[in-house]
Structures are given as C-alpha cells and as structure tokens.
Amino acid sequence: MRILSTESFSHIVPLTRENYANIHARLNLRLPPRTARLFSRFTLQPSQGGAQWSVNMECENSLRPYTEANAVERAQVGMVLRQALDDVRKAFGPQAATMEKLLDVPHEVCIFFAPQHGAQPVVVLAQWGFRRVRAASGAGLLKLCLDRAEALTDAPVEIYVGYTDGSPAADKDFILHIFGNEIPFRTDSRGIYSPGHIMVGKEFMVSGGGLVSPLFTVEASRARYDVLLSKTTSLTVCVAEAGGSPAEGVGVTADSMEAVTDADGKCLFSPVPYDGERDVRIEVRGAGPVVHRLKEEAGANVVNIMLDAPEPEEPVPPVPEPVTVTLRMLDKKGTPMAGMPVKILCKRGYEDTVTDDAGCVRLNAADLLPGETPRIILRRPEPDTGNKPLNQTRKL
C-alpha cells in the first residue's frame, strides 16, 4: 500500500455533504474498474482532524505527480479523466452533476499517473471531491485537463515498421524522435509499436539500423503510420598474415565499401543493404579476390582471408671495390722519379698529375682506356736557373 496524501480538514473542505467512505464504496460498485481505480482509498482520521488517501495496486510505486508530466502525458491524463466523466454520467444519471464534483481536486499535486506501454496511463486522484478552504469552488483542474486532452489524436497511434519486401521488422529495436526527445522502443511480433495518443500536429520520425524514416505529421483521425525500411545486414572480414597472425592496417574493399583492419585483423562493414542473397567481391592487397555469398544473418557473413607469403628477396650483388692502378716512374738507373709532372691518357683525355716520393702515380682502373697500354707523357721539372731548357716529352 502507498499513501498518496494526508491532509487536515483545516486546509480543505468537501464538495459534497455525503460520507466519503460510503461514496468510495458506491463508486467501486457502479463504475467500470478502469474508472473506479481513479479514486484512491479514503480513510478518515478523526484524531488528527483530517483524512488519508492511499492505493494498493501493482503500479503504485510507478505513480508520479501530474506536475512532473510532459505535454503528451498531461494530455493522456486528460483523456483518462474525460472517459471517467462519461462513465460517471452514465452510471449516476440524475446524480451525475453531484458526482462529477468528485473528479475535482484542490491542487495538481493531488493527481498521480503511471505511464503504461502502449496503453493509457493509470491515473489516481488524492483528495478527490475536496477544495481549498479559501477557494470558492474546486480548483478547476478537471476542466483544465479536459481542455488539454482536445489536442490528442482520436485513437491510440500505431507505428508499423516493416521492410520493402513486405516482411515486418518484428521484435526489433528502434528510436522514436518526437517532441525533441529520442524514445527507444521495440516492435512486437507484427512489427507494430503504439506510443498511445499523440498530440495533433506534432512531427515524428523513426530511426534504427543506420536508416531514418521520412518525417510524419500527426493527424487527428489517422491511427496508423507505416515506416518502410530496406533490410540490412553486416559483413566481417578477418585478414591474417601467411603465418596466421592478425594483419593490422590492411585495406579491404567489399564492392564499393572500404575499411581497414584493426589490431585483431578484422574490419566490419555495417549496415550493408540486403534485398536477397547476392555475391560480394572482396579484395585485399596481398591476396587474391574472394567472392562471398551475402546472407541475411550477420553471423553467416564472416570471411577469413590469408595474405600470400611474401616472395623471397633477391640478394643484392655486392658492389665491387674500385681497382687502383699504380704506375711507377724510374730513370735508366732504376731510381724513382719523384715529383715528375706526368700526363696520362684516360677516357676523358689527358689528366695531369705528379709522381710521389716513390715515383708513383695512382689511378682508378675504370678511368683508363680498356684494353690499351696507358700512354704516359713525362715532363721534366724546370731547373732553378734563370735559363729555361726546352721541355722534353717522352713516350713510354
């Protein structure tokens, strides 16, 4: 049992002179259960000079104050009160005018509701049939709630989610975008979800599986809105090196889709449009192309690819060491001719050089004319005397 309210009669006064405990019993006897539960249990507390209102129902812990309700929930509460008003008029006939007063309460905090999935909320009143001491009449909340109910659709709205091939999206999770909120929901076995009554003129759309529906505008007399989606699935490609280890960072192409493998050698393509079984060509650099038959179930779309073993690298021939040719210049006595200017015929023409202390000059063999004896021209150094002798050349 949950106590909704306890109030002193110094703050509130009844709108009818009848015994409220007796009234509560009559309400339960003559009203339909959906309306009778609207009136919380009344318990008189003479010692405290007041009364207590309580409930004993399954959803009692889900009851929230009307002040916390959003626009749609307030309108839904109003519709419940409208139905209750009709039930009271039918049940009590000539006494209806008096009994209608019982639907009024002193303040909004005396109205409680518990949202119900796909149905009208459970509404419970505390301090029903009372007004504030200083108020001339009831708070007028009944009329306020009924006015708000006018903005809702005539019947609960159903949203059907199906696929273009005619099958329903049964037991699937989607998101309803409405009133600036994102409300997760799951379709039933028929692909239907009912958010209940919706405010007329509001716009909503449905998303899920990477797809978004068109924008719908709520109409007062329209009870069903169909959302048709293309079926999708997913494709997982696992790439391994020739030795079996995961291949990270490998580019994978599946038809026109591209992805790169992660540290586990996997890449996921999702969502993949599915209109029936078809072949998907998968290409991985370092391996031959693979053709996979795409299935509706994602678990059947796992493809394992092993990269080709790398070709052995051809050994790089060693770079030959350069061959140096040493030419030594000796006179007739066999004495090294040190400091002797020398011209040697090479591929680029004659090159000038000077013998070292041992009478030698050194050249790269690649610079000499192949297959020929080097042509050497010696030029004796000029003496230190003032008379310059004629230059002499010698062909060796």
Side-chain angles (χ1 to χ4, degrees):
M1 184 181 73
R2 177 180 173 184
I3 299 174
L4 298 179
S5 177
T6 301
E7 189 64 88
S8 168
F9 290 145
S10 62
H11 297 151
I12 57 174
V13 293
L15 294 175
T16 179
R17 295 182 178 180
E18 294 188 51
N19 183 296
Y20 274 74
N22 294 337
I23 292 176
H24 188 263
R26 290 169 58 197
L27 293 172
N28 279 277
L29 286 173
R30 302 183 65 173
L31 291 176
R34 66 186 179 191
T35 300
R37 69 184 180 187
L38 190 75
F39 301 94
S40 58
R41 182 180 178 183
F42 176 88
T43 305
L44 187 64
Q45 296 181 313
S47 61
Q48 300 180 16
Q52 186 178 85
W53 291 263
S54 60
V55 292
N56 186 6
M57 55 177 63
E58 291 183 1
C59 64
E60 61 185 42
N61 292 326
S62 300
L63 291 171
R64 295 159 46 201
Y66 179 77
T67 52
E68 296 180 2
N70 58 38
V72 174
E73 292 169 337
R74 291 191 176 201
Q76 291 174 336
V77 170
M79 292 199 71
V80 173
L81 294 177
R82 171 190 283 176
Q83 183 63 53
L85 183 60
D86 291 340
D87 291 341
V88 168
R89 288 171 178 170
K90 291 177 182 178
F92 291 96
Q95 296 179 317
T98 300
M99 304 304 285
E100 286 177 13
K101 297 178 182 179
L102 302 176
L103 291 170
D104 242 328
V105 295
H107 194 270
E108 285 183 324
V109 296
C110 298
I111 304 175
F112 295 84
F113 74 100
Q116 301 294 301
H117 179 72
Q120 290 183 338
V122 173
V123 180
V124 180
L125 302 179
Q127 301 184 29
W128 44 272
F130 281 80
R131 64 174 174 82
R132 293 293 183 194
V133 171
R134 297 182 180 180
S137 61
L141 292 178
L142 174 61
K143 183 178 184 305
L144 174 65
C145 293
L146 294 180
D147 288 343
R148 285 175 173 170
E150 297 291 341
L152 290 182
T153 53
D154 298 336
V157 169
E158 286 187 348
I159 299 175
Y160 167 78
V161 185
Y163 298 107
T164 52
D165 64 358
S167 61
D171 303 314
K172 300 289 185 182
D173 293 320
F174 296 95
I175 297 176
L176 175 64
H177 302 261
I178 189 169
F179 307 116
N181 297 320
E182 296 182 356
I183 305 172
F185 70 90
R186 174 177 281 263
T187 57
D188 61 16
S189 59
R190 302 168 298 159
I192 291 177
Y193 164 72
S194 177
H197 295 268
I198 301 180
M199 297 182 71
V200 175
K202 294 298 182 180
E203 296 180 335
F204 73 91
M205 62 183 181
V206 174
S207 67
L211 301 176
V212 179
S213 76
L215 196 64
F216 295 97
T217 301
V218 179
E219 303 172 21
S221 58
R222 185 175 177 182
R224 173 164 163 162
Y225 297 82
D226 292 348
V227 177
L228 297 180
L229 306 173
S230 297
K231 280 189 176 181
T232 62
T233 184
S234 63
L235 171 65
T236 302
V237 179
C238 305
V239 183
E241 302 284 358
S245 60
E248 181 181 2
V250 178
V252 181
T253 302
D255 286 348
S256 59
M257 303 174 291
E258 296 182 352
V260 177
T261 57
D262 58 17
D264 296 325
K266 297 180 180 180
C267 62
L268 175 65
F269 297 93
S270 180
V272 179
Y274 182 82
D275 295 322
E277 292 189 9
R278 60 185 175 89
D279 290 336
V280 177
R281 181 182 175 88
I282 303 172
E283 296 183 354
V284 178
R285 187 173 182 180
V290 175
V291 177
H292 171 72
R293 190 71 175 175
L294 192 68
K295 308 288 185 180
E296 182 176 358
E297 293 298 326
N301 297 323
V302 179
V303 181
N304 296 298
I305 298 177
M306 181 170 289
L307 299 179
D308 297 334
E311 296 181 0
E313 296 183 0
E314 295 184 1
V316 180
V319 179
E321 294 290 335
V323 178
T324 302
V325 177
T326 302
L327 303 175
R328 191 178 188 192
M329 311 300 171
L330 304 174
D331 59 14
K332 292 180 178 180
K333 297 179 180 181
T335 303
M337 302 174 67
M340 175 66 71
V342 180
K343 284 187 175 182
I344 303 175
L345 183 60
C346 300
K347 293 179 179 179
R348 296 186 297 271
Y350 282 98
E351 291 190 10
D352 293 321
T353 183
V354 178
T355 59
D356 59 15
D357 294 342
C360 298
V361 294
R362 294 173 178 80
L363 300 168
N364 288 330
D367 293 336
L368 299 175
L369 294 173
E372 295 187 12
T373 302
R375 297 182 63 187
I376 302 172
I377 300 176
L378 300 178
R379 188 181 298 274
R380 293 184 180 277
E382 298 179 356
D384 294 336
T385 61
N387 297 325
K388 294 182 179 180
L390 294 176
N391 291 336
Q392 298 181 11
T393 63
R394 180 177 298 175
K395 181 177 178 181
L396 301 180

